[in-house]
Amino acid sequence: MIETIVFDVGETITRDDRYWASWADWLGIPRHTLSALVGAVVAQGFDNAEALRLARPGIDVAAEYHAREAAGRGEHLDESDLYDDVRPALAALRKAGVRVIIAGNQTSRAGELLRGLDLPADLVVTSGEWGVAKPRPEFYQRVLEVARSAPEATLYVGDHPANDIFPAKAAGLRTAHLRRGPWGYLWAGDPEVVAATDWQVDSLTQLVEIVGG
């Protein structure tokens, strides 16, 4: 029985379109170019920030992030960044008695913005606020602490196998791989991902049936 469901953020709760488009605009390169670079580095097993380093060799990503914030061109999230199934699915899960948590690899600022959207969730937290990021085991230890349920009663939902599915499974959690966004589509049929996944879903609303079943 699933008592708590924990959601990744990027390409699970929110679209990454605005995030990468804003970086492309800041760096002065075509949006499609940066998007393609992100896909290329991820397909090779690298962190997506490597795309920024390819676009501008020698870039200090943290320094550029702060420069963007100072220039008023920093992170932004609003209702249009949410996938359409987020609010109805999360609301239905809470109505079913499931504890709903959103916890992903985002900055502290992103956490503030997400909480400002007043999503139907019991907790919204980011790696920036915890000081530890996926796929480190310590991140999933924190997940279990806030889940308030046993690992086998806790489901982690995400699109990225290396950050979401594999480390969550290693921590003893149940897993749901979401076929959404570039990472979700790229690895949907991978045998290792399938083996490590308890459920494969195309929409968050399918989780309501899983919990009910």
Side-chain angles (χ1 to χ4, degrees):
M1 180 179 179
I2 301 299
E3 299 175 5
T4 303
I5 298 185
V6 186
F7 294 87
D8 169 48
V9 178
E11 294 302 340
T12 297
I13 297 295
T14 62
R15 293 178 170 84
D16 280 347
D17 305 49
R18 186 199 300 272
Y19 179 82
W20 291 112
S22 64
W23 266 114
D25 294 346
W26 178 258
L27 296 176
I29 64 173
R31 293 180 174 185
H32 175 68
T33 297
L34 184 58
S35 179
L37 286 174
V38 171
V41 299
V42 170
Q44 294 177 65
F46 298 113
D47 183 86
N48 52 24
E50 288 301 314
L52 301 176
R53 299 184 179 97
L54 287 173
R56 182 181 289 179
I59 187 175
D60 183 330
V61 176
E64 289 295 325
Y65 175 87
H66 291 302
R68 286 182 55 195
E69 290 288 338
R73 296 174 62 182
E75 290 189 85
H76 178 79
L77 286 172
D78 61 31
E79 195 70 21
S80 68
D81 295 297
L82 298 176
Y83 276 100
D84 293 340
D85 58 358
V86 171
R87 286 194 183 277
L90 270 57
L93 289 168
R94 292 187 79 189
K95 185 177 181 180
V98 176
R99 180 169 170 78
V100 173
I101 295 173
I102 297 172
N105 272 0
Q106 271 71 35
T107 63
S108 298
R109 174 59 178 155
E112 296 172 1
L113 293 169
L114 283 166
R115 287 188 289 273
L117 295 176
D118 194 26
L119 294 167
D122 297 282
L123 176 69
V124 177
V125 67
T126 66
S127 59
E129 294 166 324
W130 274 347
V132 62
K134 299 181 290 186
R136 290 176 57 185
E138 293 87 351
F139 180 92
Y140 287 95
Q141 291 173 8
R142 296 297 300 271
V143 164
L144 286 171
E145 289 172 7
V146 299
R148 302 178 187 173
S149 56
E152 62 272 15
T154 305
L155 174 63
Y156 195 87
V157 182
D159 62 302
H160 198 303
N163 282 347
D164 303 327
I165 304 304
F166 297 149
K169 178 62 70 173
L173 283 71
R174 309 294 293 278
T175 59
H177 183 243
L178 178 61
R179 188 173 177 267
R180 176 143 81 195
W183 300 277
Y185 285 111
L186 179 62
W187 282 301
D190 183 270
E192 291 186 21
V193 176
V194 173
T197 303
D198 293 289
W199 294 280
Q200 291 188 297
V201 297
D202 297 310
S203 168
L204 300 185
T205 55
Q206 291 176 253
L207 299 170
V208 181
E209 301 174 10
I210 290 170
V211 169

